[in-house]
């Protein structure tokens, strides 16, 4: 059925019906052969080659959409003993559906018993939860940076893996992590997935009015500084592919503790410009969150908001002005990776 006779004629199936895929194969063969028909044997070989090419094309298209591999989430913690949602972390890590997901809590020199709570979680979920204990408080930016560098090094993550950070109060539900991973699985060109708190109809985004409107003003200024049409730079839910670019961007401490997200993006922008690859805006995907709840107890006060504005100006000066130091700094040109 669907074979070629010795004289090159097409044979019909048992019911005398011509097979559609056979006609397509013959069209392709005749197209490639031009004005001269191939012999039966040559045609069979050509059809076999066409089939192999089709299978290779399908494999090439499907492979990038396979599972990412391991996903590690860093949770920065400072004085979270009373408000850390322990049961939510235990329930999530106890679900067999999340076998490739690991959490690393970073205790940022807390003055309460945050480290005791984290240690208890790690003991209850060995292999799923671990922790890093930083004795002196260095701020959220340094906790995230050291945590991610620790994970990249200790877990030996590669390009097929991902690492991110998540706010400890779970304003963004843990279930959203799977959505971020799915974006990377389906879009292999994407290197970063950021949560975006967009209050659309049908979504549950609960944010205090003053924080929302001040946040929109700040996000607009950040977009101008970065020259990037980004909606939400400050959402505490972000996931990255484990790449050399990520390691390089994390290699030096950030200048601002509260808006390090913007500085991290600025470093990626400069690295992409020098590397000659895809533009930064082509590898970032903003995911509109289905759920985000403003949790009481935020440590971002009025003074920190003023410092954030100053930090924004400092980022523009350092990374984008003609008299800034740029990125990477002169000390990093040799490719030295600092010890954590």
């Amino acid at each position: 059925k669907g074979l070629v006779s010795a004289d090159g004629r097409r044979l019909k199936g048992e019911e005398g019906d011509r097979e559609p895929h056979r006609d397509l194969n013959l069209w392709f063969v005749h197209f490639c052969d031009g004005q001269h028909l191939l012999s039966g044997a040559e045609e069979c070989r050509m059809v076999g080659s066409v089939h192999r090419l089709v299978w290779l094309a399908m494999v090439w298209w499907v492979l990038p959409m396979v599972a990412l591999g391991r996903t590690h989430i860093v949770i920065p913690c400072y004085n979270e003993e009373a408000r850390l949602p322990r049961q939510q972390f235990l329930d999530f890590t106890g679900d067999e559906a999340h076998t490739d997901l690991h959490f690393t809590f970073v205790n940022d020199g807390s003055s309460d018993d945050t480290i005791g709570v984290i240690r208890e979680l790690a003991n209850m979920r060995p292999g799923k939860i671990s922790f890093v204990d930083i004795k002196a408080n260095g701020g959220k930016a340094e906790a995230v940076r050291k945590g991610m560098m620790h994970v990249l090094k200790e877990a030996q993550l590669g390009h097929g893996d991902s690492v991110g950070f998540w706010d400890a109060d779970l304003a963004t539900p843990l279930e959203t992590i799977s959505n971020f991973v799915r974006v990377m699985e389906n879009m292999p060109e994407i290197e970063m997935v950021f949560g975006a708190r967009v209050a659309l109809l049908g979504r549950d985004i609960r944010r205090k009015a003053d924080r929302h409107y001040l946040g929109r003003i700040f996000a607009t200024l950040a977009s101008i500084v970065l020259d990037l049409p980004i909606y939400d730079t400050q959402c505490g839910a972000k996931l990255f592919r484990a790449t050399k670019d990520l390691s390089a961007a994390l290699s030096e401490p950030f200048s601002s503790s509260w808006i390090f997200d913007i500085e991290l993006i600025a470093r990626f922008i400069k690295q992409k410009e020098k590397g000659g690859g895809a533009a930064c805006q082509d590898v970032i995907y903003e995911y509109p969150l289905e759920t985000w709840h403003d949790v009481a107890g935020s440590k971002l006060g009025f003074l920190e908001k003023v410092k954030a504005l100053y930090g924004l100006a400092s980022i523009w000066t350092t990374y984008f002005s003609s008299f800034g130091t740029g990125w990477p700094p002169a000390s990093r040109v040799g490719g030295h990776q600092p010890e954590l």
Side-chain angles (χ1 to χ4, degrees), residues 88-101:
Q88 292 185 49
F89 281 105
L90 290 174
D91 292 344
F92 190 82
T93 51
D95 189 338
E96 291 299 322
H98 307 129
T99 55
D100 292 326
L101 186 59

Side-chain angles (χ1 to χ4, degrees), residues 12-276:
K12 297 181 179 180
E14 295 177 359
E15 303 298 327
D17 295 327
R18 189 173 293 167
E19 298 175 274
H21 76 275
R22 177 67 182 156
D23 288 339
L24 179 62
N25 290 337
L26 287 171
W27 175 88
F28 185 85
V29 169
H30 295 164
F31 173 79
C32 294
D33 187 43
Q35 301 300 319
H36 306 285
L37 294 177
L38 301 175
S39 69
E42 289 172 330
E43 185 181 339
C44 283
R45 287 195 296 271
M46 178 64 81
V47 169
S49 298
V50 172
H51 286 168
R52 284 192 290 274
L53 286 172
V54 170
W55 278 109
L56 286 173
M58 291 177 63
V59 170
W60 175 84
W61 181 71
V62 170
L63 276 180
M65 294 174 18
V66 298
L68 261 183
R70 298 168 296 170
T71 298
H72 284 246
I73 301 295
V74 170
I75 310 290
C77 300
Y78 176 67
N79 289 349
E80 298 285 355
E81 176 188 4
R83 71 174 199 156
L84 191 70
R86 320 172 200 198
Q87 194 58 49
Q88 292 185 49
F89 281 105
L90 290 174
D91 292 344
F92 190 82
T93 51
D95 189 338
E96 291 299 322
H98 307 129
T99 55
D100 292 326
L101 186 59
H102 185 97
F103 291 95
T104 298
F105 289 82
V106 180
N107 178 45
D108 185 28
S110 299
S111 57
D112 62 4
D113 193 34
T114 295
I115 185 61
V117 174
I118 293 173
R119 185 178 285 112
E120 181 182 4
L121 288 173
N123 290 336
M124 295 178 71
R125 291 288 185 267
K128 300 288 291 182
I129 295 177
S130 59
F131 65 90
V132 175
D133 187 18
I134 302 175
K135 300 302 181 182
N137 175 250
K140 181 180 179 180
E142 194 63 358
V144 168
R145 189 187 75 86
K146 286 186 173 180
M148 292 180 72
M149 288 295 286
H150 170 83
V151 168
L152 286 168
K153 180 179 179 181
E154 296 300 320
Q156 298 181 339
L157 299 185
H159 189 76
D161 304 314
S162 57
V163 58
F165 58 89
W166 220 257
D167 281 348
D169 59 13
L170 299 187
T172 306
L174 292 173
E175 289 73 20
T176 309
I177 298 173
S178 299
N179 298 332
F180 284 20
V181 171
R182 196 172 299 114
V183 169
M184 288 191 170
E185 288 176 344
N186 294 336
M187 304 176 70
E189 72 278 10
I190 295 299
E191 297 179 21
M192 297 165 260
V193 181
F194 299 163
R197 297 163 290 184
V198 187
L200 301 172
L201 293 176
R203 298 176 188 266
D204 186 16
I205 307 297
R206 305 179 194 175
R207 199 175 182 188
K208 293 180 181 178
D210 61 332
R211 293 192 67 179
H212 169 72
Y213 291 114
L214 287 174
R216 294 311 314 135
I217 295 172
F218 184 81
T220 300
L221 294 174
S223 178
I224 293 171
V225 167
L226 296 171
D227 191 23
L228 195 70
I230 189 167
Y231 180 86
D232 190 353
T233 59
Q234 300 311 111
C235 181
K238 291 182 171 67
L239 187 67
F240 304 80
R241 287 192 192 274
T243 63
K244 291 181 179 179
D245 268 352
L246 177 61
S247 295
L250 294 169
S251 62
E252 296 283 344
F254 297 105
S255 60
S256 173
S257 180
W258 289 106
I259 61 169
F260 69 94
D261 316 64
I262 299 174
E263 189 169 0
L264 180 59
I265 296 170
R267 291 180 179 183
F268 269 107
I269 290 173
K270 303 310 290 185
Q271 288 173 187
K272 294 295 183 184
E273 288 177 353
K274 293 185 177 180

